[in-house]
Amino acid sequence: MQTPEETPRMGRPRTPRLSRKTIGREALAMFEQEATLSMPRLAERLGVRQSSFYKHVTGRDDIIELARGSLADRVQVPASATGNLDELIRQIFEALRSAYSLAPALLPLLLTQPVSHPDALSLYNKFAGALTHAGVPEHLVIPTLETLDSAAIGASLDAMTMESAWNISEAQRTDFPHLSAAQQAVSTSQTDRFAFLADVLSAGLKAAITDNT
C-alpha cells in the first residue's frame, strides 16, 4: 500500500493550457489565415471550449487587443537611432506597414479601440524615443506617430485592393483630361508609392517642426 507521501496527486497542471499570450497569437494567426475572428472557431483552433476564454479575457475587444500585442511583436524596430529624421520616418513607416500587411483583416478593428496592450505600448514608446532623439519636439511626437500609423494602415489596406483607384475608359478620357494624363504618366514613369508616401510624411514633419520652433 502506498503511503500518503507516495500517493500521486491529481493537482492542477503546472502550465495552464491557455494564456493571454497564447490567445493573442492564435487570434492573430486566424486573422492572417482566415481573415476573420470567430469565437467558436478560435476555440476550435486552440482546442478548448469557448467558455475557457473568459478565464483569461473580458471579451472580443480584449482578444483584438491581444492580437495587436502579438502583431507588435512582429514589428522590426529600427536597429539604431542615427538622428537622421528622414531615415527614421522611412524606417518606422516601413516597419509598421510590413507588419500590418500580414493581417489586413485585423486593421479596421484596431482603429476602433485605443492602444492598451503593454507590448504595443512598448513598441510605440521606442518609436517615440527615437523621434525625440531625432529632434522631433515632444508636442509633435504623438501627432507624428498617429500620422505614421494611419498612413501605414492605409498603405497596407491599399496594397490588398485594386491596382488602380481610377477606371477611366477611352471614351471618357476627353471628359477627364487632367486625371487621364496623370494616369498615363504614372504608367510610363513608375513610382514606389510607399517610398513616396514616406518622403511626403518626412517633408511634412520637418516643415511642421520648423513652424513650431
Side-chain angles (χ1 to χ4, degrees):
M1 175 181 291
Q2 290 180 315
T3 65
E5 290 77 11
E6 295 171 333
T7 303
R9 294 184 179 181
M10 298 300 290
R12 297 174 66 183
R14 292 184 178 180
T15 304
R17 190 170 189 181
L18 275 184
S19 69
R20 287 175 63 80
K21 200 165 192 70
T22 300
I23 293 171
R25 285 174 176 169
E26 196 58 42
L28 178 60
M30 187 174 179
F31 277 113
E32 290 184 73
Q33 298 163 12
E34 303 182 26
T36 189
L37 177 63
S38 159
M39 297 304 172
R41 178 73 183 117
L42 181 58
E44 181 183 342
R45 289 176 65 108
L46 286 163
V48 299
R49 294 180 180 179
Q50 188 174 338
S51 59
S52 299
F53 288 151
Y54 299 103
K55 299 176 183 178
H56 303 275
V57 301
T58 58
R60 182 183 175 87
D61 288 351
D62 198 12
I63 292 176
I64 291 169
E65 195 61 21
L66 291 175
R68 188 204 300 270
S70 291
L71 187 60
D73 289 339
R74 308 272 286 274
V75 175
Q76 298 296 315
V77 179
S80 60
T82 63
N84 185 308
L85 186 57
D86 287 328
E87 180 181 350
L88 180 61
I89 291 297
R90 293 188 191 98
Q91 287 178 335
I92 293 176
F93 172 75
E94 185 56 32
L96 290 171
R97 189 193 67 80
S98 296
Y100 287 150
S101 66
L102 298 173
L106 172 61
L107 304 185
L109 301 177
L110 295 183
L111 294 173
T112 65
Q113 57 192 61
V115 180
S116 62
H117 194 284
D119 290 347
L121 290 173
S122 178
L123 173 68
Y124 288 110
N125 183 64
K126 291 175 183 176
F127 286 155
L131 288 168
T132 302
H133 178 74
V136 178
E138 283 192 336
H139 70 284
L140 290 179
V141 169
I142 292 298
T144 299
L145 287 175
E146 290 173 337
T147 301
L148 286 170
D149 212 39
S150 297
I153 288 175
S156 300
L157 291 173
D158 184 53
M160 304 298 295
T161 58
M162 59 276 185
E163 182 176 347
S164 175
W166 294 275
N167 183 14
I168 306 173
S169 68
E170 285 297 328
Q172 293 175 307
R173 292 199 178 279
T174 55
D175 296 327
F176 312 105
H178 303 298
L179 187 58
S180 296
Q183 190 179 48
Q184 289 179 320
V186 78
S187 67
T188 57
S189 179
Q190 292 294 324
T191 300
D192 184 330
R193 56 184 173 174
F194 299 135
F196 176 76
L197 177 55
D199 288 342
V200 170
L201 292 172
S202 179
L205 176 57
K206 287 194 293 186
I209 290 173
T210 299
D211 290 342
N212 282 267
T213 54

